[in-house]
């Protein structure tokens, strides 16, 4: 039985990072997404504020010397260019908060059935280095922590347009966490890492081909592994208007994908924790409309009237 609303996690710091003018990362999307949900009538009390992960907790999953270099700013310039952000203490603290939010989302999913994080999806971070706007890997940290808390099997469903190379590498020796990625093969990262289940699609694939790949793979993996929890990266950079995506998926198909993933979990009574993942349009309002499709799917499954207020 699902709760009337999914658990939702947010923190104002997600959009408070000061970036150079014209920086490629759409930092304002988090605040705008939160405000749009409030404008729909979702009560502020439906959101929980994310709690930062501690450095000690993080050191169980990422290289301590790498963590320290980001903590004190001693990380070299080349490593920061690979990440794609200028170093600031604010960036480090924001990352800890997002890590904590994804972990809280995973824990809450066990109680509410569906839980959503208004951040997360930093799947390009490796054990000892960051990449592609990702300092630390919130998906892996959350999944491994949930194993430590007693779960036996977790399925990581990564449908961002970019392959989650960091997640794949960090989970290579953990058979209890199944990494599954559907992505654009010709997109970043240039050098892919082997997930447990990879589907690399061509830029000209049809929506039908895309949705069938997701549906068939998800059905197979749930049947084979019977996970205790699904962690879902619902990146919207698959959209036809995404400036870094290279796929051609419409807004209705984004909703279909998100509904398909959440419904597949609900039908099998598998808790699902979703993060909003990537999306790269300079038009923040248009971008947020895509991220809202995840919330529309969750609200629909929970039977909430808010679903009808979100356009597809």
């Amino acid at each position: 039985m699902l709760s009337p609303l999914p658990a939702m996690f947010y923190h104002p710091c997600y959009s408070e990072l000061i970036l150079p003018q014209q920086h490629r990362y759409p930092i304002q999307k988090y605040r705008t997404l939160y405000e749009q949900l409030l404008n729909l009538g979702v009560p502020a009390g439906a959101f929980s504020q994310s709690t930062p992960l501690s450095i000690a907790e993080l050191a169980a999953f990422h290289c301590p010397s790498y963590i320290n270099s980001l903590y004190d700013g001693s990380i070299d310039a080349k490593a920061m260019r690979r990440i794609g952000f200028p170093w600031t203490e604010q960036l480090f603290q924001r990352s800890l908060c997002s890590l904590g939010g994804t972990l809280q989302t995973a824990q809450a999913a066990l109680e509410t059935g569906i839980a959503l994080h208004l951040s997360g999806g930093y799947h390009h971070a490796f054990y000892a280095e960051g990449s592609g706007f990702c300092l630390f890997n919130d998906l892996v940290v959350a999944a491994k922590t949930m194993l430590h808390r007693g779960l036996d099997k977790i399925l990581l469903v990564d449908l961002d347009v970019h392959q989650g190379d960091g997640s794949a590498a960090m989970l290579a020796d953990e058979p209890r966490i199944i990494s599954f990625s559907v992505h654009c093969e010709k997109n970043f990262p240039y050098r892919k890492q082997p997930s447990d289940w990879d589907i690399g699609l061509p830029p000209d694939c049809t929506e039908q081909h895309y949705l069938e790949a997701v549906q068939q793979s998800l059905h197979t993996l749930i049947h084979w592994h019977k996970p205790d929890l699904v962690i879902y990266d619902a990146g919207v950079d698959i959209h036809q208007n995404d400036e870094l995506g290279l796929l051609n998926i419409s807004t209705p198909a984004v909703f279909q994908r998100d509904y398909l993933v959440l419904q597949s979990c609900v039908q099998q009574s598998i808790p699902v924790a979703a993060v909003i993942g990537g999306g790269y349009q300079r038009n923040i309002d248009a971008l947020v409309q895509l991220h809202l499709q995840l919330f529309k799917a969750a609200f629909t499954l929970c039977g909430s009237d808010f679903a009808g207020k979100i356009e597809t």
Side-chain angles (χ1 to χ4, degrees):
M1 185 71 176
L2 294 176
S3 298
L5 278 176
M8 292 177 283
F9 293 85
Y10 170 72
H11 197 288
C13 76
Y14 294 161
S15 284
E16 290 174 352
L17 182 63
I18 299 173
L19 295 175
Q21 192 172 9
Q22 301 301 314
H23 192 277
R24 193 66 203 78
Y25 196 80
I27 196 67
Q28 294 303 320
K29 73 175 185 178
Y30 305 99
R31 177 183 291 118
T32 305
L33 175 59
Y34 174 68
E35 290 173 349
Q36 288 283 10
L37 288 165
L38 293 180
N39 290 340
L40 291 172
V42 179
F47 298 88
S48 298
Q49 184 160 293
S50 305
T51 303
L53 204 70
S54 71
I55 293 176
E57 289 171 314
L58 181 58
F61 309 103
H62 278 280
C63 174
S65 62
Y66 169 62
I67 296 170
N68 288 335
S69 73
L70 281 167
Y71 171 70
D72 63 13
S74 63
I75 187 169
D76 65 54
K78 182 179 179 181
M80 283 309 301
R81 284 195 298 272
R82 178 174 170 80
I83 290 171
F85 290 125
W87 181 87
T88 61
E89 182 181 354
Q90 184 185 43
L91 173 66
F92 181 77
Q93 296 300 329
R94 177 190 180 277
S95 298
L96 293 181
C97 200
S98 190
L99 286 160
T102 296
L103 176 56
Q104 289 171 274
T105 304
Q107 184 67 50
L110 302 182
E111 302 162 11
T112 62
I114 300 175
L116 308 176
H117 186 199
L118 279 70
S119 181
Y122 300 108
H123 59 173
H124 297 308
F126 289 73
Y127 173 71
E129 64 178 328
S131 175
F133 304 135
C134 305
L135 279 69
F136 306 112
N137 198 309
D138 63 307
L139 303 170
V140 170
V141 169
K144 287 189 172 183
T145 300
M146 297 308 291
L147 289 183
H148 295 163
R149 293 181 180 179
L151 299 191
D152 293 323
K153 186 67 68 76
I154 296 171
L155 175 61
L156 176 54
V157 177
D158 191 338
L159 301 186
D160 193 280
V161 79
H162 307 105
Q163 196 229 20
D165 53 341
S167 300
M170 290 182 72
L171 296 174
D173 297 325
E174 181 46 86
R176 296 173 296 170
I177 303 174
I178 310 303
S179 56
F180 159 44
S181 176
V182 178
H183 52 270
C184 180
E185 186 65 25
K186 300 299 182 182
N187 209 323
F188 178 88
Y190 174 76
R191 181 174 298 172
K192 309 292 191 288
Q193 300 289 329
S195 306
D196 293 306
W197 188 283
D198 274 309
I199 296 182
L201 297 173
D204 60 351
C205 79
T206 65
E207 289 184 352
Q208 181 180 357
H209 183 192
Y210 177 82
L211 291 171
E212 285 178 351
V214 172
Q215 182 176 31
Q216 292 170 8
S217 298
L218 191 60
H219 175 81
T220 298
L221 292 169
I222 286 177
H223 177 72
W224 282 356
H225 297 288
K226 297 178 173 56
D228 302 307
L229 172 69
V230 167
I231 299 177
Y232 172 37
D233 183 345
V236 299
D237 38 15
I238 62 168
H239 192 262
Q240 57 197 10
N241 294 335
D242 195 88
E243 295 158 24
L244 300 181
L246 303 183
L247 287 183
N248 192 34
I249 308 302
S250 68
T251 303
V254 171
F255 170 75
Q256 287 179 266
R257 178 202 67 174
D258 292 344
Y259 186 81
L260 167 64
V261 173
L262 299 186
Q263 184 188 44
S264 297
C265 297
V266 169
Q267 286 179 336
Q268 298 297 320
S269 298
I270 301 169
V272 54
V275 302
I276 65 170
Y280 303 93
Q281 291 188 49
R282 295 189 188 276
N283 184 331
I284 296 296
D285 289 335
L287 176 56
V288 164
Q289 193 61 37
L290 301 179
H291 285 303
L292 280 171
Q293 301 309 307
L294 172 66
F295 293 80
K296 182 180 178 70
F299 293 158
T300 300
L301 287 163
C302 291
S304 168
D305 293 338
F306 297 121
K309 298 180 180 181
I310 300 174
E311 295 180 7
T312 298

